């Protein structure tokens, strides 16, 4: 029975990878992205091949299959072609430390603060827009503040804003921080939740861009990747149980620490809100954990 489930797991991975790779190639032809990062794709191929080769000690075919599965997984491929994600790493810090503090701790409470009323170059619309859109916050609000205030005084303004937010809104801020962390640590399950209506992410924006211009084909590819991953996850859990061998504690702890570290980085340094393009390595960690039964099969044989 144990061998049967491992064989099912292996051939499921092979079949899903073959279908997913074909869908990925067709999607790349149809989507016609204007700003495809060639360096991003090459670096993604290198690190994913390395992940596949180091993950399994034998059976070269399975190593290539795992690398192909990872690269063709829609959330990962969408990250690989996007500028600013070299080797599938999260985006660079969105700004300096004071601006990041405002984004993380004071947004979207700016509109509730009377502090800004003393700045005549700001009107109510500016504050309202800054509190409703992080894009506006970075592209409009911060530049206006920088253009009208002394550079030496501006950090003090931001520190006061953050201090006020932490003092007045900590009770509503804490659940939001926990939700954001849960969104990141639960990648790649989070896109299901987001597309079912949960707020606080960029998944809808990314998804619309993903399917744009593909006449619905992108929708098929995207959801095939998500649902087939669920199947892979279930098979991995079944194999852990039937094999009576679970993930080693140090492997689990290392994976959890790595996923948590990436989550905390994303929450603070990148544009606020869950963005699966910043969590590609969390997705990879989960996929490799669920494929551990295949690795053990190759080590034991």
């Amino acid at each position: 029975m144990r061998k049967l489930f491992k064989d099912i797991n292996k051939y499921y991975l092979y079949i899903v990878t073959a279908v997913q790779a074909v869908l990925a190639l067709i999607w790349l032809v149809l989507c016609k992205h204007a700003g495809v990062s060639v360096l991003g794709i090459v670096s993604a191929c290198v690190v994913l091949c390395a992940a596949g080769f180091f993950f399994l000690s034998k059976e070269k075919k399975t190593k290539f299959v795992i690398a192909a599965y990872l690269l063709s997984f829609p959330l990962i491929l969408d990250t690989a072609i996007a500028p600013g994600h070299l080797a599938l790493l999260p985006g660079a810090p969105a700004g300096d430390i004071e601006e990041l503090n405002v984004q993380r701790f004071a947004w979207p409470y700016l509109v509730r603060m009377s502090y800004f009323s003393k700045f005549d170059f700001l009107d109510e619309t500016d504050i309202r827009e800054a509190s409703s859109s992080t894009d506006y916050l970075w592209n409009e609000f911060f530049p206006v503040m920088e253009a009208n205030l002394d550079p030496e005084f501006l950090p003090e303004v931001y520190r006061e804003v953050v201090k006020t937010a932490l003092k007045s809104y900590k009770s509503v801020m804490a659940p939001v921080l926990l939700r954001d962390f849960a969104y990141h640590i639960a990648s790649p399950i989070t896109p299901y939740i987001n597309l079912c209506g949960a707020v606080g992410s960029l998944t809808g924006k990314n998804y619309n861009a993903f399917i744009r211009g593909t006449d619905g084909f992108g929708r098929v590819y995207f959801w095939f990747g998500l649902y087939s991953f669920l199947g892979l996850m279930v098979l991995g859990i079944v194999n852990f149980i039937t094999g009576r061998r679970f993930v080693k504690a140090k492997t689990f702890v290392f994976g959890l620490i790595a996923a948590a570290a990436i989550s905390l980085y994303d929450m603070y340094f990148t544009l606020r809100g869950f963005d699966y393009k910043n969590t590609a390595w969390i997705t990879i960690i989960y996929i490799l954990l669920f494929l551990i039964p295949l690795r053990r099969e190759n080590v034991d044989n």
Side-chain angles (χ1 to χ4, degrees):
M1 182 65 71
R2 184 188 309 173
K3 186 178 186 303
L4 174 62
F5 279 118
K6 285 186 177 180
D7 286 342
I8 292 174
N9 197 359
K10 178 194 294 186
Y11 291 111
Y12 175 85
L13 173 65
Y14 286 5
I15 293 170
V16 165
T17 301
V19 175
Q20 189 169 264
V22 172
L23 295 177
L25 290 173
I26 297 174
W27 176 77
L28 285 171
V29 173
L30 292 177
C31 68
K32 298 177 182 179
H33 276 268
V36 174
S37 173
V38 176
L39 185 59
I41 295 176
V42 172
S43 63
C45 290
V46 171
V47 297
L48 292 179
C49 284
F53 272 72
F54 282 111
F55 181 69
L56 293 174
S57 62
K58 295 181 180 180
E59 196 170 340
K60 292 182 179 179
K61 180 172 66 174
T62 306
K63 295 178 180 181
F64 283 112
V65 169
I66 289 176
Y69 175 80
L70 291 172
L71 183 60
S72 61
F73 191 71
L75 306 184
I76 295 176
L77 182 58
D78 198 20
T79 304
I81 69 170
H85 294 281
L86 187 66
L88 299 172
L89 295 173
D96 62 33
I97 190 71
E98 303 297 348
E99 291 172 332
L100 290 169
N101 282 336
V102 171
Q103 176 194 232
R104 183 64 268 173
F105 301 111
W107 186 95
Y109 314 114
L110 301 179
V111 71
R112 306 181 191 181
M113 298 182 186
S114 60
Y115 181 82
F116 294 102
S117 61
K118 60 184 176 182
F119 301 128
D120 56 9
F121 56 86
L122 292 174
D123 58 31
E124 186 178 341
T125 301
D126 293 323
I127 307 301
R128 186 170 59 252
E129 291 291 339
S131 293
S132 61
S133 167
T134 50
D135 286 332
Y136 191 94
L137 179 73
W138 288 101
N139 298 328
E140 301 292 339
F141 182 78
F142 285 147
V144 168
M145 295 290 285
E146 184 177 350
N148 288 275
L149 294 179
D150 189 314
E152 294 184 1
F153 176 61
L154 189 57
E156 182 181 335
V157 171
Y158 290 155
R159 283 192 291 269
E160 186 62 30
V161 168
V162 171
K163 181 180 177 181
T164 301
L166 288 172
K167 181 179 179 180
S168 304
Y169 305 108
K170 59 184 177 182
S171 61
V172 294
M173 192 184 302
V176 174
L177 288 171
L178 290 174
R179 183 203 65 189
D180 287 354
F181 183 77
Y183 273 3
H184 284 84
I185 203 74
S187 178
I189 302 300
T190 302
Y192 294 95
I193 303 171
N194 296 150
L195 294 175
C196 288
V199 299
S201 81
L202 302 177
T203 301
K205 179 180 178 180
N206 288 340
Y207 177 71
N208 288 331
F210 189 94
I211 66 176
R212 187 178 300 127
T214 64
D215 296 326
F217 179 86
R219 185 178 294 106
V220 173
Y221 170 39
F222 192 91
W223 285 104
F224 175 85
L226 294 185
Y227 281 119
S228 61
F229 167 78
L230 286 181
L232 192 69
M233 180 177 68
V234 170
L235 285 173
I237 293 172
V238 169
N239 273 294
F240 285 133
I241 296 173
T242 58
R244 298 177 184 177
R245 297 173 66 182
F246 294 85
V247 181
K248 291 182 180 179
K250 62 180 181 181
T251 303
F252 177 79
V253 170
F254 176 79
L256 186 61
I257 290 174
I262 298 171
S263 298
L264 293 173
Y265 174 90
D266 288 345
M267 288 175 61
Y268 184 78
F269 289 102
T270 64
L271 190 67
R272 181 166 169 159
F274 172 81
D275 185 348
Y276 64 69
K277 293 182 181 179
N278 288 325
T279 63
W281 276 105
I282 298 178
T283 300
I284 292 168
I285 289 169
Y286 280 115
I287 290 173
L288 293 181
L289 284 175
F290 289 123
L291 289 176
I292 280 180
L294 295 186
R295 181 179 189 276
R296 285 180 174 157
E297 179 184 29
N298 283 283
V299 171
D300 295 340
N301 290 343

